[in-house]
Amino acid sequence: MVTELSVDELEEIYLIRQALEELITQVAIPKLSPQTLEQLDILIEKMEQATVAEDFDNLLELNRLFHFTLYEVSGLRILLQTINHLWDRSSVYRNLYTHLPERAPLA
């Protein structure tokens, strides 16, 4: 069952995500290994290919995998779970947004 969000709720989710994702990224960056950096580079290449191919479902999966590969390095499990929940709450809208060809590169 998909719960619809109001514009205000969606804006609030993105405001919270922005703050939490900045925090978790700041914690994760000093902990990145060369292997994880290589994984992230590969994911960026795949996202670029999916964008060119207009394979938006794959792009969304790769985008999420990119972010959570980075976030997991932080070791902050509770924060990671919170961010995951917020991504899930807004996923329907992100899917709609990304399926607009002019918006896909911004996803």
Side-chain angles (χ1 to χ4, degrees):
M1 177 177 175
V2 175
T3 304
E4 289 191 29
L5 299 173
S6 69
V7 171
D8 289 341
E9 290 170 321
L10 190 59
E11 287 176 351
E12 182 177 349
I13 286 172
Y14 275 92
L15 180 67
I16 295 166
R17 276 189 50 200
Q18 181 180 4
L20 297 182
E21 291 181 41
E22 181 178 334
L23 172 62
I24 203 166
T25 299
Q26 289 174 350
V27 172
I29 286 175
K31 298 179 179 184
L32 287 171
S33 68
Q35 294 82 9
T36 303
L37 286 170
E38 185 176 334
Q39 281 181 295
L40 294 172
D41 283 340
I42 291 168
L43 288 169
I44 289 170
E45 289 175 23
K46 289 181 178 183
M47 285 189 289
E48 289 170 351
Q49 293 168 359
T51 299
V52 170
E54 297 185 2
D55 184 356
F56 303 124
D57 292 329
N58 191 31
L59 175 60
L60 284 167
E61 289 177 31
L62 292 166
N63 182 53
R64 187 173 187 135
L65 183 58
F66 173 86
H67 283 87
F68 283 88
T69 297
L70 173 62
Y71 300 158
E72 286 175 5
V73 173
S74 73
L76 301 174
R77 290 188 334 253
I78 295 170
L79 183 53
L80 183 64
Q81 290 171 353
T82 302
I83 293 169
N84 189 52
H85 173 72
L86 293 169
W87 273 65
D88 288 346
R89 292 264 330 253
S90 61
S91 65
V92 170
Y93 298 93
R94 193 170 36 262
N95 290 348
L96 291 172
Y97 181 84
T98 303
H99 279 78
L100 298 172
E102 67 277 8
R103 299 289 190 190
L106 305 174

